[in-house]
Amino acid sequence: MKTDTTTIDTGAEVLEVNADTGEILVSANKEDYTQLQQTKIKALKLLSQRDFVMINGVWEAKRDGLLKILTSLPISYSWKLTERELNKEYAQVVGTLTVNNGTITRSADSMGICEYSELRGNGGLHFMNARAETRALKRAIETLFGSVINYYVINFLQVGRGR
């Protein structure tokens, strides 16, 4: 399925607007633009139907699929926890994921929460904290790579052509 994009080339910079997702790549030099597009294509090729699960009628990316994107691409990244709250009832973690792709740097703050009751007696504070951190990291990856994830869902899962 072909997506409609409008590309504005000013000679030195490129601005792209995706009509399907609304994603905007703010003015970048041509080399950065090309590198970012190639990274998105590589990320898309990493994904498979096994990286997604249907929850309440909505396709959700699994943790392993998202980590595959983060760790298998020629990018550098850092994950820093900025806040943490842990008590007997719940764990809440806030973190910042920063991804570098050439000279382009993107960051996303995200929060993850896990309630003790979710563990159903299996595990303690460590598991509750780890699950909250995993949820925060997953949300940050979804934010930074959302256009790739949405493209895969729309073009391969919603039309029943999982690969």
Side-chain angles (χ1 to χ4, degrees):
M1 180 174 195
K2 187 175 185 321
T3 57
D4 294 325
T5 60
T6 301
T7 303
I8 303 167
D9 187 345
T10 65
E13 299 177 329
V14 177
L15 174 67
E16 181 183 50
V17 179
N18 184 318
D20 294 330
T21 65
E23 177 190 23
I24 298 173
L25 178 62
V26 179
S27 183
N29 70 45
K30 287 183 180 183
E31 293 82 22
D32 286 346
Y33 173 82
T34 300
Q35 184 172 0
L36 187 59
Q37 291 305 101
Q38 289 173 350
T39 301
K40 288 180 179 183
I41 291 167
K42 289 175 184 174
L44 184 64
K45 289 180 179 180
L46 288 171
L47 295 174
S48 73
Q49 188 172 8
R50 292 183 304 278
D51 295 322
F52 294 85
V53 63
M54 176 82 66
I55 299 175
N56 297 324
V58 176
W59 286 105
E60 293 285 339
K62 294 180 183 177
R63 177 186 62 93
D64 291 344
L66 294 174
L67 290 176
K68 183 169 41 173
I69 289 174
L70 194 61
T71 60
S72 298
L73 293 174
I75 59 174
S76 61
Y77 69 92
S78 68
W79 170 244
K80 294 184 181 174
L81 297 180
T82 56
E83 296 177 34
R84 179 179 302 191
E85 184 175 347
L86 180 63
N87 58 50
K88 292 180 181 181
E89 295 176 22
Y90 69 92
Q92 175 179 310
V93 172
V94 177
T96 301
L97 176 63
T98 302
V99 174
N100 297 302
N101 185 2
T103 61
I104 298 173
T105 300
R106 289 184 170 175
S107 294
D109 294 327
S110 60
M111 177 179 67
I113 297 174
C114 178
E115 295 180 2
Y116 186 76
S117 61
E118 292 179 58
L119 301 177
R120 296 184 185 105
N122 297 321
L125 296 178
H126 168 76
F127 292 100
M128 190 168 59
N129 186 66
R131 186 172 288 176
E133 184 176 340
T134 298
R135 287 175 176 169
L137 177 58
K138 182 178 179 285
R139 287 186 179 111
I141 297 169
E142 288 172 334
T143 299
L144 295 178
F145 292 93
S147 63
V148 173
I149 295 164
N150 290 340
Y151 182 89
Y152 187 88
V153 168
I154 290 167
N155 291 285
F156 296 99
L157 298 178
Q158 288 183 345
V159 295
R161 293 184 294 166
R163 49 179 177 156

